[in-house]
Amino acid sequence: MKAFLLMLSFFSRIPVGHRVAYSDDLYRQSIVYFPYVGLIVGGISAVPLWLLQNTSHGVRGILVILVYLLVSGGIHLDGLADSMDGLFSGREKERILEIMKDSRIGSFGVIGLILYFLVFYQCASEVMPILILLMPFVGKSAAAFTAGYSDYARVSPGMGTVLINSHTPKTSIEILVINLIIAFIALGFEGLAMVAMTFILAFFLMKWIHGKIGGMTGDTIGFVVEVCQMCFLLIATILY
């Protein structure tokens, strides 16, 4: 329970951090719960869809986004913007890593965030509540899946080091199987297709990032989380 609460305090704004003292060992133990934080974030984010079924789709979409940002703290959006700036800069590895560490946002980061919120708004206005519930779980699971096939790209350790080093191809397959089972129970064969396509996308994203910087970082993990969340919703919107 302490390990789960620690992970929840890291990747959400739910006030549970005071209930557990941080330690490196406990953080390593908590990594296994990284995807499951998404179920809590997704469940709370889906509340506007459940409660306001007679409200206009546009208003419900806006409320879903606002609740998601409040609960998650938008923690992976920084990684999305930083990765967009670095990976699309056309520079060599060391310069890309420098750009990703820069606290300032560039044009590609702005473009990435605009596209992200356009997709999020459109899909959140249309999909069933269960898909919003599953969205952060599938996105975080897909990123954890890629960690099992990745190396850490930077010389000095960072926030993504433990997550990447804690996963192996075996744990990645376990994560995929768990997602497929949950998706099938919740959504049937369409759910299997959504998860399978999202994980395939995550794998190819990871390979593309490896080609750019030779591995993954905390920023690129966040990038994969957010891109896969939106792709999951896009696929769901098409299938439903």
Side-chain angles (χ1 to χ4, degrees):
M1 181 58 73
K2 285 183 178 181
F4 178 75
L5 289 176
L6 181 66
M7 188 61 20
L8 188 61
S9 72
F10 261 85
F11 292 101
S12 80
R13 289 295 177 263
I14 299 172
V16 295
H18 65 284
R19 294 182 175 273
V20 56
Y22 174 85
S23 71
D24 290 342
D25 185 56
L26 187 61
Y27 181 69
R28 282 190 290 271
Q29 293 175 38
S30 72
I31 287 298
V32 68
Y33 299 114
F34 174 65
Y36 300 97
V37 170
L39 287 175
I40 294 176
V41 172
I44 297 173
S45 300
V47 167
L49 297 183
W50 275 308
L51 294 183
L52 304 173
Q53 295 184 21
N54 296 323
T55 308
S56 73
H57 285 235
V59 171
R60 291 164 70 203
I62 291 171
L63 290 174
V64 168
I65 293 172
L66 287 176
V67 174
Y68 172 77
L69 292 176
L70 286 172
V71 177
S72 69
I75 189 163
H76 298 303
L77 293 178
D78 183 60
L80 171 66
D82 287 343
S83 296
M84 288 289 295
D85 281 334
L87 296 171
F88 288 95
S89 67
R91 307 296 180 86
E92 297 300 319
K93 172 184 173 177
E94 294 307 322
R95 181 59 183 142
I96 291 173
L97 292 172
E98 286 177 14
I99 292 170
M100 287 165 61
K101 286 194 77 171
D102 194 329
S103 59
R104 295 168 295 181
I105 189 170
S107 350
F108 288 111
V110 172
I111 291 168
L113 289 174
I114 290 171
L115 290 174
Y116 172 86
F117 283 111
L118 283 174
V119 173
F120 200 173
Y121 170 75
Q122 183 61 41
C123 293
S125 304
E126 302 291 336
V127 299
M128 301 180 297
I130 187 66
L131 292 164
I132 297 297
L133 184 153
L134 290 175
M135 172 197 75
F137 173 67
V138 174
K140 284 180 168 57
S141 295
F145 171 80
T146 66
Y149 299 96
S150 303
D151 298 309
Y152 191 67
R154 296 186 187 276
V155 175
S156 56
M159 287 300 296
T161 310
V162 176
L163 190 146
I164 292 167
N165 292 342
S166 297
H167 288 85
T168 65
K170 180 177 180 290
T171 61
S172 292
I173 295 301
E174 290 170 355
I175 290 167
L176 173 59
V177 170
I178 290 169
N179 272 257
L180 290 171
I181 291 170
I182 291 174
F184 181 71
I185 292 170
L187 299 164
F189 287 105
E190 289 90 349
L192 290 179
M194 291 178 212
V195 167
M197 285 188 274
T198 302
F199 273 61
I200 290 169
L201 168 71
F203 184 80
F204 281 107
L205 267 179
M206 179 268 295
K207 298 297 285 184
W208 175 68
I209 293 167
H210 267 244
K212 293 282 188 179
I213 58 174
M216 299 285 278
T217 68
D219 279 332
T220 62
I221 289 291
F223 173 76
V224 172
V225 169
E226 297 293 5
V227 169
C228 286
Q229 287 183 173
M230 292 307 104
C231 286
F232 177 76
L233 288 185
L234 272 174
I235 295 166
T237 303
I238 293 167
L239 291 182
Y240 281 94

